[in-house]
Amino acid sequence: MSLFRRISNLFLRSRMDREIDAEIRSHLRMRTEDNIASDMLPDQARRDALLRFGNPTVTRERVAASDAALTLESIGMDVQYAFRRLAKSQGFSIAAILTLALGIGATTAIFSAAYALLLRSLPFQHADRILGIYETHPQIVGGAEVNFLDYQDWRRQQTSFEQVAAYSGSSSDTMSLLMQDHGEQVRTVLASTNLFSLLGVTPLLGRAFVQQDDAPNANHVVVLSDEAWRRYFGADRSVLGRSIDLNSVSYTVIGVLPPEGAYPSTGEFWMPLSLMDKESQTRRVGHTLDVLGRLKPGIDFAEARADMQTIAARLAQVHPATNRNIGVLLIPLREQLVGALRPAILTLLGCVVLVLCIACANVANLLLVRSATHVREAAVRQALGASRLRMFALYLSETLILCLLGGFLGTILAAHTLPLLRVAFAHTAGTDPSLIQSIQLNVPVLLVTSGICLFTAILFSLLPMAKAPNKLADSLRPGDRSSTIRRDWSRSALISTEIAIAIVVLFLGTLLIRSFQKLNRVEPGFRTDHLLSLEIKLPQPRYEDSTPATNHFYERLIDKLRQSPGILSAGTTITVPLRASHAMTRFLIAGAAPVAPGALPMEQVRSVSPDFFHTMGLELKQGRVFEEKDIESNSNFIIVNQAFAQRYLTGKDPLTSSILMNVLSPHPEKMPVIGVVSNAHDLGVETEAEPELYFPGFGTHAVLLIRTNADPKSILPEVRSAVREFDPNLPIYHVETLDEVLSDSLARQKMIAILLGIFALLALTLAAIGIYGVITYSVTQRQREIGVRMALGATRAKILLLILRESATFTGVGVLVGLVAAFASAHLASALLFQTSTADPVSTCVSIFGLLVIAILAAVLPAGRAAKINPVEALRSE
């Protein structure tokens, strides 16, 4: 009996399987007007047939096993099917992939810069606890360098830092390294013995400084950077213990730093701080040190700041003549390295994220349109038993392919953009070069890019799910158009969002371009064309400031250069024009009312040669300029600029006035004013012309300015030949034209304006594509409605206005919302603006007009196509 039952069950099961297969084949032979592929959901159809047959032998365990097999086996099928669907819709696929590539590529490039400058770990131990410590002065914006004696007092009295270290970071700290047959000018840094231990840097070779290296008879030792070790010594490991010649003085190499361990990164040779000149170590009038401090565990930034401010107030009471009104400024090490780039990077990052949002909104609109045209296919899938999870998996396969391809192309685009970004950032003053070089694609950046792709894929997969039909019967009814004539507010909301974002990016781009235009129109006060700048550092102790040997060297050099047919004039000063300078001095106006201790005025000071004013093109307003006899006789004469005369000599004849110098000494020097020259924006065109005092004379360090009648760099061989004639081993360095200096001083503003301009054009383009796509789709879906309207008497002009009115609605909403967000964003970016209001009316009008023009152009073409619809053909198609 049992054998007969088994045979019967086996026969019934085989018959059931045949009927199930027949049912599946019947379902798969079905075709809808949406042309569903023949391999659509065979497992779903099998499961549906099994359940509808209701055979008692089909247990719940078998159905569960069927579901599990469906989940595992359907992944490959969904991916293959998604590829086929995307291949059939090449226009949609290419548009979506390129849109995502542009958005993701721009975001990846800017995020790479933001990661390197703002997020990447610094190559120092617990760098987040290292602070830069600066002095503040009423007449200096931001922090200033520190006096040596103040630094010593800070070290003894502070209670917030494990260590406090100092180094001299002046750009003029250079020495001549004597090689076999020539000299190389190298960047030197005087550092306290605990600088590298504070940073947590262990030398690659040898050792760092120890306390004994500060002893007067043992301080001629040097530590090399890795780059200097490789450049000048060929990475020779036997360099340790070798004696090298710096400024004709012997120094012993004791160590080599690791590749990323140099601080400051521009340094090449580090020497003990005890080699600083004695005057700077004994007087409170020179400010030449940069100071770092490492916070103790448990001490936060606010506590350290309060501690240092207390010490500053104490020093102001003890030394009122030099320290009154002088405070302390603490800056985290990263902010110190990034300099003025932080607000620029954050602004660029915010704008590029907005561009990415526009790109995503465009792709979302494309997917919504695509899902609406495939609504019947989705209904058939659900009728055949497809669950919402299975539908989501299918949509995810398609969107994931789009996002991955877009991300891959975007990453390639970013990789080719990064070298240009590094060049742009490298010309921004105040930014550490090592951070600039670290701007590159790396694992964290690629992870963020991958995360963006995955997130957008999941988000885009949910959009068609939200549009899934609720009533399958309505969706499957032949000729039904209820789902197509329905107004779709989500697409209009997405386009309004795109327009609002585009307004923000366009307004910021226009605002920064306007700011840069105003900055670019500022006259520096002198001619920058055909003007060459280079630096010379005479080796000590053979030369000293204002000695006959130093004066004689520069006088002979300038006379030699004048004889060249390509050189019109030459002069010297102490700092490169248009570069920030803290070369300042305290003074008093002779005959003026006395001032309280510590309230002495302080302004820019320059030592210049007699031909400096003629070479620069500064106009003499009153009196005379310096002559060679003024230098030879060490005359105590002063020339001031107009800004100085207007601020301090108002109501007086400048040529009968005198200035008191060395006012902190027991015997101030009285120096008469012999001339007034025109103003020069010596510290940069973005600042007002500062009052300046000019003295005659030469120093061991000089900036040589040469006016030529041809390409300035073409006379370099003659300059080198003239220098070698007087000192064969003396190099020249920092060779650049003043046009290049001016361009570098504007590099940050120019870079931001260009990038934001590019982002604005990209945002406008994407917004135009989005508007065009939505209007085109709306016209296609409302073809029957338009036909009925025209059949009832509507003219082509009315149809055109009807479509344009729809475009104007979401455009107007987007513009209004965008303007509010744009004004708020501009307020956050106000630090980047130059003489430009955050509510600049020109930028506002340009943004509105530009967006409206783009919106009209994007809407006119599909609207014109709608006006040309033949009502008979439109109604017949239904």
Side-chain angles (χ1 to χ4, degrees):
M1 185 65 181
S2 59
L3 178 60
F4 177 75
R5 186 174 299 170
R6 289 178 183 176
I7 294 174
S8 299
N9 288 341
L10 188 61
F11 172 76
L12 291 174
R13 188 177 295 117
S14 62
R15 179 182 177 184
M16 180 190 71
D17 288 339
R18 286 195 301 271
E19 292 176 351
I20 290 174
D21 291 337
E23 178 78 9
I24 292 171
R25 285 192 295 273
S26 175
H27 277 292
L28 294 182
R29 281 195 299 270
M30 293 173 62
R31 293 293 185 269
T32 68
E33 57 190 64
D34 293 297
N35 191 25
I36 300 177
S38 62
D39 59 349
M40 182 200 70
L41 298 178
D43 292 318
Q44 290 283 17
R46 176 177 292 276
R47 179 179 179 275
D48 184 60
L50 286 171
L51 295 177
R52 282 189 286 107
F53 269 89
N55 192 290
T57 62
V58 181
T59 61
R60 294 183 181 274
E61 289 77 8
R62 184 174 176 182
V63 173
S66 176
D67 286 338
L70 170 66
T71 303
L72 294 174
E73 295 174 3
S74 62
I75 295 176
M77 182 196 315
D78 289 344
V79 172
Q80 293 175 6
Y81 181 58
F83 267 116
R84 283 198 299 272
R85 288 221 314 177
L86 292 175
K88 290 179 181 179
S89 306
Q90 294 182 4
F92 161 79
S93 302
I94 292 174
I97 291 171
L98 290 182
T99 301
L100 286 172
L102 289 174
I104 293 175
T107 305
T108 302
I110 298 301
F111 179 74
S112 298
Y115 176 79
L117 297 175
L118 306 179
L119 301 174
R120 178 176 174 266
S121 298
L122 298 175
F124 307 118
Q125 191 176 53
H126 302 297
D128 59 316
R129 303 195 63 79
I130 301 177
L131 304 178
I133 311 176
Y134 296 91
E135 291 185 332
T136 60
H137 296 256
Q139 293 169 278
I140 297 179
V141 178
E145 293 171 323
V146 180
N147 176 267
F148 180 83
L149 295 179
D150 290 344
Y151 157 67
Q152 295 287 6
D153 288 333
W154 288 355
R155 287 187 64 182
R156 287 191 295 267
Q157 299 180 33
Q158 63 83 22
T159 59
S160 302
F161 299 96
E162 293 179 353
Q163 296 186 68
V164 175
Y167 63 94
S168 65
S170 173
S171 61
S172 61
D173 287 345
T174 63
M175 285 182 149
S176 179
L177 172 66
L178 183 61
M179 307 296 285
Q180 293 180 352
D181 56 351
H182 67 283
E184 292 278 357
Q185 201 72 19
V186 297
R187 175 75 186 277
T188 59
V189 179
L190 300 179
S192 60
T193 55
N194 65 331
L195 175 65
F196 298 118
S197 63
L198 182 149
L199 295 171
V201 174
T202 302
L204 181 68
L205 297 176
R207 64 175 178 85
F209 298 127
V210 295
Q211 196 65 38
Q212 290 76 10
D213 293 326
D214 263 338
N217 297 326
N219 57 5
H220 279 206
V221 293
V222 63
V223 175
L224 309 177
S225 70
D226 178 78
E227 183 179 355
W229 175 50
R230 298 180 185 278
R231 178 186 301 173
Y232 303 118
F233 304 102
D236 185 2
R237 301 181 72 88
S238 65
V239 72
L240 294 179
R242 182 186 303 180
S243 294
I244 60 175
D245 189 298
L246 292 169
N247 282 0
S248 302
V249 178
S250 179
Y251 290 82
T252 302
V253 178
I254 62 171
V256 177
L257 298 177
E260 293 187 341
Y263 187 86
S265 63
T266 53
E268 295 178 296
F269 290 67
W270 280 257
M271 294 177 286
L273 191 61
S274 59
L275 290 172
M276 179 182 291
D277 63 279
K278 298 304 177 184
E279 183 178 2
S280 297
Q281 295 186 48
T282 55
R283 299 186 63 194
R284 292 186 184 269
V285 294
H287 297 260
T288 58
L289 295 181
D290 290 270
V291 179
L292 296 178
R294 177 180 288 277
L295 290 171
K296 292 180 178 179
I299 301 295
D300 60 20
F301 184 88
E303 291 175 295
R305 180 172 55 190
D307 180 25
M308 296 304 297
Q309 288 175 344
T310 301
I311 297 174
R314 190 181 304 141
L315 293 177
Q317 293 179 349
V318 178
H319 308 285
T322 57
N323 288 69
R324 186 176 180 182
N325 298 324
I326 291 182
V328 176
L329 176 67
L330 303 185
I331 302 176
L333 180 60
R334 182 179 294 278
E335 291 189 18
Q336 180 177 320
L337 296 177
V338 172
L341 268 184
R342 174 180 286 272
I345 288 294
L346 293 178
T347 300
L348 291 174
L349 187 61
C351 287
V352 80
V353 169
L354 293 179
V355 171
L356 178 63
C357 290
I358 296 177
C360 290
N362 257 358
V363 176
N365 257 322
L366 290 174
L367 288 171
L368 285 175
V369 170
R370 184 175 172 80
S371 66
T373 58
H374 288 79
V375 64
R376 182 160 307 193
E377 175 183 339
V380 172
R381 290 179 180 276
Q382 290 182 342
L384 292 177
S387 65
R388 295 185 68 84
L389 180 61
R390 179 63 191 277
M391 296 294 292
F392 174 76
L394 183 63
Y395 293 137
L396 180 61
S397 300
E398 186 171 304
T399 57
L400 193 58
I401 292 172
L402 293 175
C403 293
L404 289 179
L405 290 176
F408 177 73
L409 292 179
T411 303
I412 294 176
L413 176 64
H416 286 82
T417 305
L418 290 182
L420 301 178
L421 282 180
R422 285 195 292 268
V423 171
F425 288 138
H427 290 275
T428 303
T431 306
D432 191 88
S434 63
L435 292 183
I436 301 298
Q437 294 305 314
S438 67
I439 298 177
Q440 55 189 346
L441 292 178
N442 47 45
V443 173
V445 171
L446 293 178
L447 286 177
V448 169
T449 303
S450 302
I452 292 174
C453 294
L454 181 60
F455 174 77
T456 51
I458 295 175
L459 181 63
F460 291 162
S461 301
L462 294 174
L463 294 176
M465 295 294 296
K467 296 298 177 182
N470 295 321
K471 295 182 179 180
L472 299 181
D474 293 340
S475 301
L476 292 173
R477 184 181 301 119
D480 181 71
R481 292 291 181 269
S482 62
S483 64
T484 59
I485 63 174
R486 185 174 60 243
R487 298 294 186 270
D488 195 340
W489 64 268
S490 59
R491 283 191 288 275
S492 298
L494 280 173
I495 290 299
S496 295
T497 303
E498 282 191 50
I499 293 172
I501 296 174
I503 280 286
V504 174
V505 180
L506 181 59
F507 180 76
L508 289 177
T510 307
L511 204 60
L512 267 296
I513 291 173
R514 290 257 303 156
S515 173
F516 178 70
Q517 288 176 338
K518 291 182 178 180
L519 186 61
N520 206 33
R521 286 197 293 264
V522 176
E523 290 293 335
F526 56 89
R527 287 176 50 203
T528 61
D529 62 295
H530 296 90
L531 189 58
L532 184 70
S533 167
L534 56 91
E535 296 186 50
I536 298 175
K537 182 71 176 289
L538 298 180
Q540 296 173 306
R542 185 150 50 103
Y543 296 95
E544 296 291 345
D545 290 339
S546 301
T547 61
T550 301
N551 296 343
H552 187 52
F553 173 88
Y554 285 114
E555 288 170 352
R556 288 190 301 162
L557 176 61
I558 291 174
D559 287 340
K560 178 71 176 179
L561 293 175
R562 284 177 185 156
Q563 299 173 12
S564 173
I567 296 177
L568 300 178
S569 62
T572 64
T573 183
I574 61 173
T575 185
V576 179
L578 300 173
R579 294 271 169 83
S581 166
H582 288 163
M584 307 181 75
T585 187
R586 295 179 175 91
F587 64 92
L588 278 174
I589 304 299
V595 298
L600 293 169
M602 184 168 55
E603 296 297 350
Q604 296 288 324
V605 61
R606 303 285 186 269
S607 293
V608 299
S609 68
D611 280 345
F612 166 79
F613 303 105
H614 175 62
T615 303
M616 285 282 289
L618 295 177
E619 183 182 354
L620 180 65
K621 297 296 185 180
Q622 289 181 263
R624 68 174 179 89
V625 295
F626 298 128
E627 300 174 358
E628 289 186 7
K629 63 181 181 181
D630 296 327
I631 295 178
E632 294 172 357
S633 61
N634 290 324
S635 300
N636 292 330
F637 293 144
I638 290 180
I639 294 176
V640 300
N641 65 352
Q642 287 179 295
F644 185 96
Q646 292 169 359
R647 180 176 297 183
Y648 297 104
L649 302 177
T650 302
K652 300 179 181 179
D653 181 3
L655 300 184
T656 61
S657 302
S658 296
I659 311 294
L660 296 178
M661 304 303 299
N662 296 326
V663 289
L664 296 179
S665 67
H667 304 288
E669 300 179 58
K670 187 176 182 180
M671 300 183 178
V673 177
I674 64 169
V676 179
V677 296
S678 58
N679 292 330
H681 292 265
D682 207 14
L683 306 184
V685 294
E686 72 276 8
T687 63
E688 294 294 332
E690 293 287 328
E692 292 190 81
L693 297 161
Y694 298 98
F695 299 89
F698 300 102
T700 55
H701 169 260
V703 175
L704 181 61
L705 300 170
I706 304 173
R707 176 76 63 182
T708 68
N709 57 13
D711 179 12
K713 290 191 175 180
S714 66
I715 54 95
L716 264 180
E718 300 174 42
V719 176
R720 296 186 191 278
S721 176
V723 172
R724 290 195 182 103
E725 181 178 334
F726 302 117
D727 193 328
N729 297 320
L730 186 64
I732 61 176
Y733 60 104
H734 291 171
V735 179
E736 51 192 340
T737 66
L738 260 292
D739 282 333
E740 291 173 341
V741 176
L742 177 61
S743 178
D744 285 350
S745 70
L746 303 176
R748 179 174 64 94
Q749 295 87 341
K750 182 179 181 180
M751 174 197 65
I752 299 171
I754 290 176
L755 289 178
L756 284 183
I758 293 173
F759 293 159
L761 291 177
L762 184 58
L764 279 178
T765 303
L766 293 176
I769 293 173
I771 295 172
Y772 175 82
V774 166
I775 298 299
T776 299
Y777 173 73
S778 177
V779 168
T780 302
Q781 298 303 309
R782 299 172 64 183
Q783 187 169 347
R784 184 189 182 200
E785 175 193 341
I786 294 172
V788 171
R789 287 177 179 272
M790 297 184 72
L792 294 177
T795 63
R796 295 182 184 273
K798 288 184 178 181
I799 296 300
L800 182 65
L801 289 177
L802 174 68
I803 303 302
L804 291 180
R805 189 183 304 119
E806 180 181 337
S807 172
T809 301
F810 56 68
T811 300
V813 172
V815 168
L816 291 178
V817 175
L819 282 178
V820 175
F823 291 144
S825 302
H827 181 73
L828 297 176
S830 59
L832 303 175
L833 301 178
F834 175 77
Q835 296 180 358
T836 306
S837 169
T838 55
D840 180 46
V842 175
S843 301
T844 304
C845 293
V846 168
S847 302
I848 296 175
F849 180 77
L851 199 285
L852 290 179
V853 168
I854 291 295
I856 291 173
L857 291 177
V860 162
L861 188 59
R865 191 180 299 127
K868 296 178 181 178
I869 290 177
N870 189 323
V872 176
E873 293 182 359
L875 295 174
R876 183 183 298 136
S877 65
E878 295 298 319

